[in-house]
């Protein structure tokens, strides 16, 4: 391996801090611009988030979803050029019961996440994976799609939003956001865990999965269902998740191996409309894990690391893990 | 060590190490060997692969991408800060 030139290739001035793709050294500030621009371009090009609409951000504490929240924060701020104009809420699914965490460790994770979520100032919802035991049967069916007459085109939505803003300004009312009960009220209550019996029941469900692969799939499915149900309950028609390019690529190959080829488009695309009334959007899918890790480090994005999903002793690795290793190995040997 | 990599090192993120004097130069390649022998408590294959780190583990030297510094060949200097970030998802 040879050293790449140490000057930023974009501005030609700054000291390069990292290499993007093959041989593209970027300095910190050009990297920041590149990172931010990619996010805005993703949303702008796809035009699925309407101004003024409520969007639920699914947060795991991991690097990608945390970077996503930061992008939303910066994008909404007053100083942003072409600032974003939607109304975010956050949802966090606590999964300690299946990640071999003791009640104390779960409390600690929850406390760290509460701090992180509170600091954004956005309304947030913390739910436990155990709540999946209570999901209604209806979750398995796509929700009713909005009647097409009621659903505006992007341009119409922007126009009506601008009109609404003018009206509000004239009449002196502030833009209606969330209903009062969504706002985090004062200092957070001590996070409480579901009672032990439910945690055991959940764990039994997971232990019944015969393979590590099945277990991973189960976790993803339950988590997604919980998030979609929360979106429905709280009136969000859009959900943003933080799957990065690396994660999406792993998902794609894994799903192929699992016989889910028919669902490739919805499972890995920018938008996912299989739930009908709730659309899932993946704005981070063009970012590599490396770009996200560097961004978080350079710009102080807080994250909370949790242990991985439990495995049984002497169990073979899941297809997900094998695929991840395979793809990352390929990336090393054949950088493109 | 960050991103979960610290789990391989007793959960301790920051380690101050003094490397013993030796005739061979201290480069990243040798540092990795030293880490494997002296610091890795369990499952070395989760961190090291062959001579290098496992794919998915990023290496930063003084907060810069090691790809800019010669990767394994970079010669360590006094007070250098080496950061390993895992981008892997469990296992």
């Amino acid at each position: 391996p040879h050293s790449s030139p140490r000057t930023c290739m974009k501005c030609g001035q700054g000291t390069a801090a990292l290499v993007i793709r093959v041989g593209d050294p970027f300095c910190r500030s050009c990297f920041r611009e590149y990172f931010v621009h990619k996010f805005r371009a993703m949303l702008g090009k796809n035009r699925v988030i309407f101004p003024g609409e409520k969007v639920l951000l699914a947060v795991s504490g991991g690097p990608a979803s945390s970077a996503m929240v930061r992008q939303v924060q910066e994008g909404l701020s007053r100083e942003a050029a072409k600032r974003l104009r939607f109304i975010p809420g956050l949802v966090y699914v606590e999964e300690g019961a299946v990640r071999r965490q003791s009640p104390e460790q779960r409390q600690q994770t929850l406390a760290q996440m509460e701090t992180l979520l509170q600091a954004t100032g956005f309304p947030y919802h913390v739910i436990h994976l155990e709540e999946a035991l209570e999901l209604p049967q209806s979750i398995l069916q796509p929700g009713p799609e909005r009647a097409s007459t009621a659903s505006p085109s992007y341009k119409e939505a922007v126009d009506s939003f601008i009109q609404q803003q003018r009206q509000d300004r004239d009449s002196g009312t502030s833009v209606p956001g969330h209903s009062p009960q969504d706002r985090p009220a004062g200092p957070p209550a001590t996070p409480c865990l579901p009672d032990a019996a439910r945690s055991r029941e959940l764990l039994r469900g997971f232990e019944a999965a015969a393979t590590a692969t099945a277990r991973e799939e189960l976790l993803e499915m339950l988590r997604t269902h919980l998030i979609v149900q929360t979106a429905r309950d709280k009136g969000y028609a859009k959900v943003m998740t933080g799957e990065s390019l690396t994660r999406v690529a792993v998902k794609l190959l894994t799903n192929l191996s699992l016989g889910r080829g028919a669902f490739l488009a919805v499972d890995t695309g920018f938008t996912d409309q299989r739930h009908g009334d709730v659309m899932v959007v993946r704005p981070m899918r063009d970012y590599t894990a490396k770009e996200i890790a560097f961004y978080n480090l350079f710009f102080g994005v807080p994250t909370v690391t949790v242990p991985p999903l439990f495995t049984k002793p002497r169990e073979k690795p899941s297809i997900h893990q094998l695929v991840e290793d395979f793809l990352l190995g390929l990336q090393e040997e054949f950088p493109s | 060590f960050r991103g979960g990599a610290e789990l391989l090192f007793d959960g301790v993120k920051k380690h101050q190490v003094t490397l013993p004097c030796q005739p061979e130069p201290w480069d990243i390649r040798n540092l990795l060997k030293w880490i494997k022998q002296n610091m890795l408590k369990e499952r070395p294959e989760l961190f090291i692969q062959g001579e290098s780190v496992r794919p998915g583990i990023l290496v930063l030297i003084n907060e810069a991408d090691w790809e800019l510094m010669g990767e394994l060949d970079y010669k360590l200097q006094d007070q250098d800060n080496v950061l390993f970030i895992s981008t892997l998802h469990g296992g």
Side-chain angles (χ1 to χ4, degrees), chain A residues 1-6 16-19 21 25 28 247 289-290 293-294 297-298 305 307-308 321 324-325 328-329 332, chain B residues 2-4 6-7 53-56 58-60 63-65 67-73 83 85 87-91:
Chain A
H2 56 283
S3 306
S4 300
R6 312 236 357 236
L18 80 161
V19 178
R21 299 186 287 270
R28 256 189 220 209
R247 177 86 82 146
K290 177 177 178 178
F294 270 85
L297 178 74
F298 288 161
T305 312
Q321 279 167 255
E324 186 179 56
D325 280 347
L328 289 173
E332 285 267 313
Chain B
R2 294 208 203 158
E6 65 274 22
L7 296 174
V53 286
R54 185 184 175 197
L58 303 174
V59 186
L60 286 84
E63 303 220 322
D65 191 349
E67 285 185 50
L68 294 165
M69 323 272 271
E71 294 188 23
L72 290 171
D73 294 323
L83 175 61
I85 304 181
T87 63
L88 299 165
H89 303 111

Side-chain angles (χ1 to χ4, degrees), chain B residues 40-80:
Chain B
L40 263 176
K41 305 288 177 180
E42 50 183 289
R43 311 203 56 192
E45 73 279 5
L46 291 182
F47 185 71
I48 299 209
Q49 191 168 295
E51 267 201 320
S52 186
V53 286
R54 185 184 175 197
I57 303 215
L58 303 174
V59 186
L60 286 84
I61 302 165
N62 300 327
E63 303 220 322
D65 191 349
W66 75 332
E67 285 185 50
L68 294 165
M69 323 272 271
E71 294 188 23
L72 290 171
D73 294 323
Y74 171 79
K75 303 279 180 289
L76 288 171
Q77 284 160 22
D78 192 32
Q79 301 302 311
D80 267 349

Side-chain angles (χ1 to χ4, degrees), chain A residues 64-256:
Chain A
S65 55
S66 305
M68 181 177 79
V69 170
R70 172 65 66 90
Q71 292 313 300
V72 169
Q73 281 177 298
E74 302 224 323
L76 291 172
S77 77
R78 300 205 162 278
E79 305 85 48
K82 290 198 254 176
R83 67 178 231 209
L84 300 175
R85 291 173 179 285
F86 56 84
I87 301 170
L90 309 171
V91 63
Y92 170 64
V93 181
E94 188 273 325
E95 301 172 351
V98 298
R99 290 177 183 274
R100 284 189 279 217
Q101 282 191 309
S102 67
E104 293 75 35
Q105 287 170 323
R106 291 178 71 180
Q107 296 277 23
Q108 204 183 41
T109 301
L110 272 172
Q112 288 176 316
M113 281 306 299
E114 283 262 352
T115 308
L116 198 151
L117 296 166
Q118 269 231 318
T120 65
F122 304 144
Y124 62 89
H125 314 277
V126 174
I127 54 188
H128 301 275
L129 196 63
E130 284 87 341
E131 294 177 48
L133 297 167
E134 278 112 45
L135 282 170
Q137 280 283 74
S138 59
I139 196 70
L140 296 172
Q141 304 299 325
E145 294 223 27
R146 301 264 173 88
S148 48
T149 46
S151 175
S153 72
Y154 186 75
K155 186 168 189 317
E156 285 164 23
V158 172
D159 289 343
S160 85
F161 178 74
I162 294 175
Q163 254 199 348
Q164 185 66 43
Q165 282 216 304
R166 259 187 228 126
Q167 277 176 11
D168 288 341
R169 215 175 301 139
D170 293 342
S171 66
T173 54
S174 56
V175 179
H178 296 270
S179 46
Q181 66 261 31
D182 286 339
R183 293 223 171 277
T190 321
C192 54
L193 297 175
D195 70 70
R198 283 170 74 207
S199 301
R200 276 196 298 273
E201 194 185 332
L202 179 73
L203 204 48
R204 269 201 298 274
F206 272 78
E207 281 167 353
T211 62
T213 302
R215 216 172 297 127
E216 297 246 13
E217 286 292 294
L218 178 61
L219 175 60
E220 260 211 50
M221 188 185 72
L222 292 183
R223 180 198 299 140
T224 306
H225 284 170
L226 277 173
I227 291 171
V228 170
Q229 190 61 47
T230 305
R232 270 198 193 119
D233 291 343
K234 312 284 180 189
Y236 291 88
K238 301 262 168 36
V239 169
M240 268 193 197
T241 58
E243 282 116 318
S244 68
L245 183 136
T246 314
R247 177 86 82 146
V248 165
V250 170
K251 212 179 205 186
L252 195 144
L253 274 193
T254 303
N255 284 355
L256 271 178

Side-chain angles (χ1 to χ4, degrees), chain A residues 43-55:
Chain A
L43 291 186
K45 183 181 68 169
N46 286 283
R47 294 185 151 203
V48 287
I49 309 282
F50 295 171
E53 96 169 296
K54 283 171 66 171
V55 179

